[in-house]
Amino acid sequence: MTAPSATEPSEPRSAVIAGSFVVRVDALSRTPASEQLRVQVLGAVQRGDLVAGAQLPPVRQLADELHLAPNTVAKVYRELERDEVVVTRGRNGTSIAPTGVGPERQAQLAALEYAGRVRELGIHSARALEIVAEALGEPSA
């Protein structure tokens, strides 16, 4: 019996972020690896598992640990930076944004997570907004 090649899907891979938070990426999942990683980091920030200033691993290190292409991890970091979840300071690396996670910020992060899940499920954005309005007990437009 031979060992699986580097290109064959295998067991979920994991890596430790900020000393204690573990992320896992499952190559067999229908959810793209980048989305798995992004949602886990968002969730960790929402729960307070990753706090402002927590340092994320360098792109290449995390990519190696998760057996991902560096561009995949870089894409996630860019998306998280765009959403103001992380800040990148060149050679000083990427860390959780210092803005904190107050109620409004938590709502923003929850909305980002919801939007990602809705896209994953193939639900049209107009229907997704109707679902939110229903959940809030508001009449849909």
Side-chain angles (χ1 to χ4, degrees):
M1 186 161 103
T2 61
S5 74
T7 58
E8 290 180 30
S10 60
E11 297 284 322
R13 300 291 181 175
S14 61
V16 177
I17 292 180
S20 61
F21 180 71
V22 178
V23 292
R24 289 181 178 78
V25 173
D26 184 355
L28 299 176
S29 173
R30 292 178 51 166
T31 304
S34 60
E35 186 67 10
Q36 291 178 55
L37 180 57
R38 188 185 70 78
V39 167
Q40 288 179 67
V41 171
L42 280 173
V45 170
Q46 285 178 302
R47 291 186 306 276
D49 295 338
L50 290 174
V51 297
Q55 194 72 27
L56 299 182
V59 167
R60 287 184 193 277
Q61 177 186 331
L62 188 56
D64 287 346
E65 291 176 14
L66 295 175
H67 295 243
L68 298 174
N71 284 342
T72 300
V73 175
K75 172 188 171 193
V76 172
Y77 281 16
R78 282 191 309 273
E79 290 173 356
L80 291 170
E81 186 171 29
R82 176 200 66 211
D83 297 335
E84 300 178 358
V85 176
V86 302
V87 291
T88 301
R89 293 192 170 92
R91 290 190 172 270
N92 291 327
T94 301
S95 60
I96 302 302
T99 56
V101 186
E104 188 169 321
R105 184 70 179 143
Q106 288 182 17
Q108 291 170 338
L109 293 171
L112 290 169
E113 193 169 345
Y114 175 70
R117 183 70 174 133
V118 164
R119 281 191 296 272
E120 178 183 306
L121 294 169
I123 296 173
H124 190 273
S125 60
R127 177 61 187 136
L129 292 173
E130 289 173 359
I131 292 169
V132 170
E134 291 167 8
L136 293 171
E138 297 176 5
S140 53

